[in-house]
Amino acid sequence: MVDDTMKVLFSAEEIEQRLNVLAEEITKIYSTDIDKNDEKYQKPIALCILKGAAFFFVDLLRKIDIDFEVEFMKVSSYGCSKESSGEVEIKQDVNIDFAGRDILLVEDIVDSGHCMSFLLEELKKRGAKSIHIAALVDKYERRESHVHVDFAGFRLEKGFIVGCGMDFAEKYRALPDIYEIIT
Ligand code: IMP
Ligand code: MG
């Protein structure tokens, strides 16, 4: 599957180590909200943005010591393609109410920021109580919409990467390492 146009950027071992750190940070942040005596306490929601984040989502959640409710949403790759148009559309929605809920948005990679800023707006409109963003990679050179990634696995200036859930034309998602595609 791997060919010589691909170079390992972050190995599976490095990814695993970063996930341990992120999981610890996330556990700490969300633990402060837990009040078992508060009968109105609702679990936080971990919201996976399909399809790219699916692998990161599972690996990360397994390491977090908080019982998250899990939900999935899919937004159009139209607005989130290599050249983002800025138009983002919900392709698959959740069937729960986000009002009053704490949400951890989990994304594979934040690039222009259009997808995440669209989702932030959308979740706020639906009444989310708090929203944090976890992204495996925060790729910042092409950022057009200001988005703060609260929990970033790796920060990367530029480059097109695959593996660990990320694809190029639906290829390479299951690779355990993250590769840069050299053109
Ligand atoms: P944006 O932040 O709205 O530009 O969109 C981010 C989305 O674009 C991600 O969820 C990915 O689906 C896709 N994307 C951006 N950069 C890459 C990359 O380097 N490899 C694979 N997918 C990418
Ligand atoms: Mg994506």
Side-chain angles (χ1 to χ4, degrees), residues 80 84 107-115 139 159-161 167:
C80 320
S84 188
E107 176 64 303
D108 51 356
I109 176 165
V110 180
D111 183 15
S112 71
H114 292 147
C115 281
K139 187 168 78 176
F160 195 82
I161 57 178
D167 74 310

Side-chain angles (χ1 to χ4, degrees), residues 112-129:
S112 71
H114 292 147
C115 281
M116 280 298 103
S117 57
F118 168 84
L119 282 166
L120 282 172
E121 276 313 303
E122 184 62 29
L123 300 182
K124 278 183 206 157
K125 259 193 251 165
R126 297 186 190 188
K129 183 168 136 210

Side-chain angles (χ1 to χ4, degrees), residues 49-53 75 77 79-84 86 88 107-117 137 139 142-143 147 156 158-163 165-168 173 179:
I49 306 308
L50 296 170
K51 303 178 215 172
V75 290
S77 55
C80 320
S81 58
K82 265 178 150 179
E83 299 301 323
S84 188
V88 185
E107 176 64 303
D108 51 356
I109 176 165
V110 180
D111 183 15
S112 71
H114 292 147
C115 281
M116 280 298 103
S117 57
V137 180
K139 187 168 78 176
R142 298 199 297 189
R143 194 65 44 84
V147 171
L156 180 69
K158 57 186 174 189
F160 195 82
I161 57 178
V162 295
M166 293 173 283
D167 74 310
F168 174 58
R173 288 196 197 273
Y179 292 80

Side-chain angles (χ1 to χ4, degrees), residues 85-123:
S85 66
E87 282 170 50
V88 185
E89 209 189 317
I90 296 173
K91 289 288 183 194
Q92 192 181 307
D93 209 337
V94 295
N95 54 11
I96 57 148
D97 187 1
F98 283 137
R101 304 298 296 269
D102 295 298
I103 299 171
L104 177 66
L105 251 173
V106 184
E107 176 64 303
D108 51 356
I109 176 165
V110 180
D111 183 15
S112 71
H114 292 147
C115 281
M116 280 298 103
S117 57
F118 168 84
L119 282 166
L120 282 172
E121 276 313 303
E122 184 62 29
L123 300 182

